[in-house]
Amino acid sequence: MIELKSPAEIERMHEAGRFVAQVLSALSARAEVGVNLLDLEQHARTMIRERGAESCYWDYAPSFGRGAFRNVVCLSVNDAVLHGLPHDYVLRDGDVLTMDLALGIDGWVADSAVTVIVGTPAEDDVRLVRASEEALEAAIAAAQPDAKLGDVSAAIGAVAARHGYPVNLEFGGHGLGRTMHEDPHVPNDGRPGRGLRLRPGLTLALEPWFARTTGKIVYDPDGWTIRSADGSRTTHSEHTIAITGDGPRVLTRREEPVAS
Ligand code: MG
Ligand code: MG
């Protein structure tokens, strides 16, 4: 079922979204060579506790995971792209790090992810990361009232195709609001003009992610961390948006663009 949100409810999601953006900005600033992933997890926990926010990940136990998730942020390095389990790993020069965060404040949720390059960026990695950012902006621009969900998916797929990156259709964007995952599913490629009509009040997490040379994925033995099947590097960009009568509104925009 798809629940349309009132302007007041979208405001409350925006409050959660502003805080998600703040935490991701803070983590991006801390993600340097020599920093342990567990330090980033701890910093996120502290910020969430001090704000009185609620992690959507803590105790999350979907069918594909191995038991409940006991972290507040997903940290995925290099060939890891989704659901990366924070672990004892010290960031190295040139690592590609995706940070994905979903939080609730007073019962309303926002979800966002950013990919940064730690230390000296390799040219191929910069191109890759910029492609998912470009795909995300294209998806947002396509999310106009009375457009179709297929227009959003197709916008992502077109950017991937232009850069020559394969697209995986198993994991994509989703509705959200009172909980982190609601209908509809938003595939990262599709046909324009098809699917659900986008109406004001629809709130979506749009999240293009690509691996450089494959659309296939493999799972770590931890049951969570998802990697590119061929070990190629990956990128993931995500914002929570609301469709309004005036067009798409981004609820998780960070104040300063994250350098990559
Ligand atoms: Mg997310
Ligand atoms: Mg999401």
Side-chain angles (χ1 to χ4, degrees):
M1 197 192 83
I2 292 166
E3 188 196 358
L4 298 178
K5 280 78 177 181
S6 70
E9 290 168 338
I10 290 170
E11 277 313 316
R12 296 180 70 178
M13 287 179 67
H14 197 184
E15 197 178 326
R18 272 191 285 263
F19 183 61
V20 167
Q22 279 171 27
V23 177
L24 285 180
S25 292
L27 296 184
S28 298
R30 291 175 89 91
E32 291 179 348
V33 175
V35 169
N36 196 304
L37 296 183
L38 296 175
D39 295 339
L40 297 177
E41 164 72 21
Q42 279 306 326
H43 190 68
R45 283 188 197 186
T46 303
M47 285 186 79
I48 290 167
R49 191 177 57 242
E50 287 175 355
R51 179 65 175 77
E54 206 175 312
S55 167
C56 298
Y57 295 163
W58 193 267
D59 276 345
Y60 185 58
S63 55
F64 57 81
R66 190 157 295 174
F69 200 76
R70 283 298 169 107
N71 296 278
V72 301
V73 63
C74 289
L75 300 173
S76 306
V77 180
N78 295 337
D79 58 323
V81 61
L82 297 175
H83 310 156
L85 202 62
H87 60 286
D88 182 12
Y89 174 82
V90 175
L91 289 167
R92 298 176 195 163
D93 193 39
D95 276 350
V96 177
L97 169 67
T98 295
M99 297 172 282
D100 191 349
L101 185 71
L103 295 172
I105 293 179
D106 296 331
W108 292 94
V109 165
D111 183 5
S112 182
V114 64
T115 298
V116 298
I117 301 173
V118 177
T120 320
E123 215 174 287
D124 279 350
D125 294 338
V126 173
R127 207 165 68 82
L128 180 68
V129 172
R130 287 196 179 145
S132 67
E133 290 173 352
E134 185 188 335
L136 177 55
E137 294 306 323
I140 293 166
Q144 299 292 337
D146 288 330
K148 297 288 181 68
L149 201 57
D151 299 330
V152 176
S153 297
I156 293 171
V159 172
R162 186 160 2 103
H163 288 276
Y165 300 132
V167 173
N168 172 292
L169 295 175
E170 290 163 78
F171 290 91
H174 49 91
L176 76 174
R178 295 178 200 271
T179 63
M180 170 168 65
H181 288 130
E182 298 179 357
D183 288 336
H185 174 64
V186 188
N188 281 335
D189 200 2
R191 295 171 69 182
R194 296 297 184 93
L196 180 78
R197 189 164 64 88
L198 306 183
R199 288 194 284 159
L202 181 66
T203 48
L204 299 170
L206 304 178
E207 49 180 315
W209 64 271
F210 311 130
R212 205 148 68 84
T213 49
T214 184
K216 296 203 171 81
I217 53 174
V218 289
Y219 288 78
D220 272 9
D222 64 28
W224 288 103
T225 308
I226 295 177
R227 298 178 188 277
S228 63
D230 65 359
S232 62
R233 290 199 163 186
T234 65
T235 183
H236 178 203
S237 305
E238 178 178 23
H239 275 309
T240 295
I241 69 158
I243 315 297
T244 77
D246 299 327
R249 182 171 160 202
V250 180
L251 306 181
T252 48
R253 187 73 80 189
R254 295 175 298 279
E255 274 175 20
E256 286 171 29
V258 174
S260 56

